[in-house]
Amino acid sequence: MTRPMLFALLALSLLSTAAIAGDGFWQTPTIAGAGRIHPMPQAAYQPDRHATYKVVFSLSKAGEKPGAVSPSLDHVARAINLYVSAGVPLSHLKFVAIAAGAATPIVLNDVQYRKKYGVANPNLALIAQLRKAGVDVAACAQAVAEHDFQYDWVDPRVTVALSGLTTVINLQQQGYALMPL
């Protein structure tokens, strides 16, 4: 195969990939603009549309840069989009997302986040959407203290929990599955 032919094939494959991506391949059906999914109704292990799903997400990552959304928080959005896309009603999703460790700054209100990082908190819009979808987004009070943050710096849409440790244990005893992110 000649070099020009190889480049033409490569360009064609990149164009077709871009066309697929821009043609509804990736979707965010419930949490707009976050947690993108590719629906697969024929795939194995589909959720039971009639079941209730109880999950505690242990959030451990902030965005790579202060202006980037936490990938852990984005995965919570992905879980919602996947379940709803598979036909599970939002009312059947009992999700709690607890931020601790490196993820703790994602729960700061915009004023405090700007003071610390010089940019708006990119996580707040996603937190608002998750709350609207019924997710209890929480912060570990111990991690807030360890980061030398004041409790009133936590965004009002975020629940301040005693700790990530006790939250996970309490919820697991109530039948929640743990999803570390």
Side-chain angles (χ1 to χ4, degrees):
M1 186 176 289
T2 67
R3 181 173 265 176
M5 196 176 213
L6 184 60
F7 284 126
L9 283 173
L10 179 62
L12 184 60
S13 70
L14 290 174
L15 282 175
S16 62
T17 301
I20 289 171
D23 192 25
F25 184 83
W26 292 109
Q27 300 175 17
T28 57
T30 305
I31 306 298
R36 67 186 200 151
I37 65 164
H38 174 68
M40 293 287 296
Q42 71 283 10
Y45 302 109
Q46 293 288 325
D48 177 347
R49 296 169 186 226
H50 306 289
T52 296
Y53 295 90
K54 296 164 64 173
V55 182
V56 56
F57 297 90
S58 181
L59 310 180
S60 63
K61 296 180 182 123
E64 288 185 27
K65 296 182 263 181
V69 171
S70 160
S72 295
L73 202 58
D74 188 69
H75 272 74
V76 176
R78 175 174 274 179
I80 291 169
N81 286 334
L82 285 166
Y83 277 99
V84 173
S85 175
V88 178
L90 267 178
S91 62
H92 290 205
L93 302 178
K94 308 301 180 196
F95 288 177
V96 176
I98 179 87
T104 306
I106 72 174
V107 301
L108 289 175
N109 65 39
D110 202 50
V111 170
Q112 297 304 323
Y113 197 91
R114 282 179 190 273
K115 283 182 184 177
K116 180 145 182 75
Y117 299 106
V119 296
N121 186 341
N123 299 285
L124 294 180
L126 181 50
I127 288 171
Q129 283 196 76
L130 292 172
R131 288 298 251 189
K132 187 176 179 185
V135 177
D136 183 11
V137 179
C140 168
Q142 307 310 302
V144 170
E146 287 172 347
H147 280 81
D148 295 320
F149 299 154
Q150 301 297 314
Y151 295 113
D152 62 352
W153 295 0
V154 174
D155 189 82
R157 292 168 286 207
V158 175
T159 302
V160 177
L162 173 62
S163 74
L165 294 170
T166 58
T167 299
V168 167
I169 292 167
N170 290 345
L171 291 174
Q172 282 189 299
Q173 288 185 337
Q174 295 173 33
Y176 281 70
L178 171 62
M179 178 59 61
L181 296 174

